[in-house]
Amino acid sequence: MQVKIGNNENQTINTSLQTQENAAKGARKEAVKRKNTIFAGDLPMNQDPIALRKQQAQKRAMKFVKDAWSGDRKLDQSQEEIRAKLRELLDESDANQELARKNTERLENLRRQYGVDADSQEQKDLELLMKTANHESLTEDEEVRLAEMEPQREYLALLSKKMISQDPFTESDQARLDELGESLTEYQRNCLEINSERSVYQRRDAKTQKYIQELQTSLTDMKIERLKHHKMADAQEKAEQVMEQASEEIVGLLVDEAKDHVDETYEEQREEAEKKAEEKEEQEEKQEKIEEQKELIEARVDAAQEHTHEAEEAQREQEKDAREEAQLMKDMAEGGMDVAGTSSAVKAEIKDMLQKMKLIEADIKGIEVDEEI
């Protein structure tokens, strides 16, 4: 719906339906633009999915409220523009009415100044001409009288044309106007000019009043439209629904995350147990190897010790044999035997004899053991 502004201007202003439609179109275009645009900050790069879902829900909720708020703001702006225009028109209407009122006072003052009686034929003819100029309804008697006033009616037509067009008359038009003016009294001519001027203000005020009425109707329609749609309330409800849905999804994410955490913990514990079992098995194998190495070393040590003991025994036997041989040689020397030139063969026999003596000693010890048994 559109309303037109008068005063020779074709101005238009959108009412509530156009405002809301334009706001909706703008919101849809903005939504498509945002949908086709990718912001790096919106990409879920190593972000917490729960925090990200909550952030997305908050953005959607805020968008509902923001769009509704934007629409309301545009509607408020349109209403304020209409109110501003109404104030301007009301001032204009007051000015036109004041000018028309002053012209009415001028007419009355002029009648008194010329001393024209209100019931005189001059006054009645003047009022008939003014009614004709103002396009007011005439009675049958007034129609008959007007038909008899041909020069006055032609003068009135030319005068109205001049006042409406507000353009200077040509010389011929002005001459004709002056000629026709001879059919009127000076008082009537002056009054008709004042009335023509007053008619201009009255017509302007009539157009202004019509436009004021249309703008007031537009404001009323806007208020009714706002009460019908409740944009902010609907947006708030949608925002709450989005946040509630997001809360449910976040709970599901938390449950899934808890399950994943339990599974991960169990898997980690299982892997840790397997790792410990493997480490224990490796440790046991190492311990077994150490024990084997230890036993092997101990066996080698025992063998070495036994070998050492045998070597010591053999060395002690040799030392004993040497002492015994030395003692025998000494005894033989003391017995007067010449041992200095004893040959190796003799020494060997001495050793053999000593060896046999040991065997005899060992046998004797064996006999003694048997007897004890």
Side-chain angles (χ1 to χ4, degrees):
M1 175 182 180
Q2 293 181 340
V3 292
K4 295 184 179 178
I5 304 175
N7 298 332
N8 298 323
E9 297 177 353
N10 292 325
Q11 301 176 353
T12 58
I13 183 167
N14 292 329
T15 59
S16 59
L17 296 178
Q18 279 187 318
T19 301
Q20 292 175 2
E21 183 179 356
N22 292 337
K25 287 181 179 178
R28 287 195 296 269
K29 289 181 179 178
E30 185 66 21
V32 171
K33 182 179 179 182
R34 291 181 180 177
K35 184 178 179 181
N36 295 331
T37 304
I38 299 176
F39 297 97
D42 294 336
L43 297 177
M45 301 172 62
N46 300 325
Q47 295 186 16
D48 183 2
I50 295 175
L52 182 61
R53 184 66 188 89
K54 185 177 180 181
Q55 183 181 6
Q56 292 173 345
Q58 288 175 341
K59 285 184 178 179
R60 287 187 61 197
M62 285 302 297
K63 186 178 183 302
F64 282 125
V65 176
K66 185 178 179 181
D67 290 345
W69 173 257
S70 177
D72 280 353
R73 289 291 294 172
K74 290 180 180 178
L75 188 59
D76 290 340
Q77 184 178 357
S78 297
Q79 288 178 331
E80 184 56 34
E81 290 175 356
I82 292 176
R83 293 189 185 99
K85 188 61 182 179
L86 276 174
R87 290 191 292 269
E88 179 184 341
L89 292 174
L90 288 171
D91 292 340
E92 183 179 338
S93 176
D94 291 341
N96 288 327
Q97 290 178 9
E98 179 64 18
L99 291 172
R101 184 187 63 79
K102 287 182 178 181
N103 280 308
T104 301
E105 291 179 355
R106 288 175 60 193
L107 289 172
E108 181 62 21
N109 292 335
L110 195 62
R111 187 186 67 80
R112 292 175 181 176
Q113 180 182 347
Y114 277 92
V116 177
D117 189 1
D119 293 330
S120 65
Q121 187 62 42
E122 182 181 9
Q123 182 65 25
K124 290 180 180 179
D125 289 344
L126 173 64
E127 290 177 355
L128 176 60
L129 292 172
M130 288 192 297
K131 287 179 69 174
T132 303
N134 297 337
H135 303 287
E136 298 178 14
S137 299
L138 303 178
T139 64
E140 291 183 2
D141 293 340
E142 289 174 338
E143 292 284 355
V144 173
R145 175 58 184 163
L146 184 63
E148 298 173 353
M149 302 170 63
E150 181 65 27
Q152 291 88 340
R153 286 191 294 113
E154 187 178 352
Y155 174 83
L156 182 61
L158 283 173
L159 182 62
S160 298
K161 177 182 177 182
K162 180 179 181 180
M163 296 300 294
I164 291 174
S165 64
Q166 296 183 349
D167 294 330
F169 264 16
T170 63
E171 292 182 0
S172 60
D173 287 339
Q174 187 63 46
R176 179 59 179 165
L177 185 65
D178 293 339
E179 180 183 350
L180 292 170
E182 297 296 331
S183 63
L184 299 170
T185 64
E186 182 181 357
Y187 165 69
Q188 288 176 331
R189 287 196 304 271
N190 292 334
C191 286
L192 287 175
E193 290 180 0
I194 294 173
N195 181 71
S196 295
E197 183 178 347
R198 181 180 64 174
S199 297
V200 172
Y201 297 129
Q202 288 175 337
R203 286 194 299 270
R204 289 178 181 177
D205 183 55
K207 291 181 179 180
T208 302
Q209 288 295 330
K210 182 180 179 181
Y211 186 43
I212 288 174
Q213 184 177 1
E214 290 175 347
L215 290 182
Q216 289 174 338
T217 302
S218 298
L219 279 178
T220 303
D221 292 341
M222 287 182 179
K223 291 178 182 179
I224 294 174
E225 195 71 17
R226 173 171 283 182
L227 291 174
K228 284 169 58 179
H229 289 287
H230 307 290
K231 278 194 172 182
M232 282 302 296
D234 294 341
Q236 185 66 31
E237 183 178 354
K238 288 182 180 178
E240 292 175 356
Q241 291 175 356
V242 169
M243 294 305 297
E244 183 178 353
Q245 181 181 0
S247 298
E248 294 176 357
E249 293 179 2
I250 288 173
V251 170
L253 290 174
L254 287 172
V255 172
D256 293 339
E257 184 176 355
K259 290 180 179 178
D260 293 340
H261 180 68
V262 170
D263 294 340
E264 290 176 1
T265 303
Y266 172 77
E267 185 66 22
E268 290 176 358
Q269 291 177 349
R270 186 183 64 80
E271 291 177 356
E272 186 68 21
E274 291 179 354
K275 183 178 179 181
K276 288 183 178 180
E278 292 176 357
E279 291 177 353
K280 184 178 180 182
E281 185 177 354
E282 291 177 357
Q283 190 66 28
E284 289 177 351
E285 291 178 356
K286 290 180 180 180
Q287 189 64 31
E288 289 179 359
K289 290 181 178 180
I290 292 173
E291 292 294 335
E292 291 177 357
Q293 292 288 337
K294 183 178 178 182
E295 290 177 359
L296 181 60
I297 291 172
E298 289 178 350
R300 291 179 177 178
V301 169
D302 291 340
Q305 288 178 348
E306 183 178 356
H307 178 72
T308 303
H309 180 69
E310 292 176 353
E312 289 176 352
E313 286 292 331
Q315 184 176 359
R316 282 195 295 270
E317 286 294 330
Q318 290 178 359
E319 291 175 355
K320 183 180 178 183
D321 291 341
R323 286 194 301 271
E324 290 177 352
E325 182 181 352
Q327 186 64 38
L328 180 60
M329 295 295 289
K330 181 180 179 183
D331 291 340
M332 289 174 63
E334 289 178 353
M337 295 179 67
D338 183 12
V339 296
T342 305
S343 63
S344 297
V346 174
K347 290 180 179 180
E349 290 178 359
I350 293 172
K351 287 182 180 180
D352 183 59
M353 181 182 63
L354 290 173
Q355 186 67 29
K356 290 179 179 180
M357 290 176 63
K358 288 180 181 179
L359 292 174
I360 294 171
E361 183 181 0
D363 292 336
I364 293 172
K365 287 181 180 180
I367 294 171
E368 289 177 355
V369 173
D370 291 337
E371 287 179 354
E372 290 177 359
I373 294 173

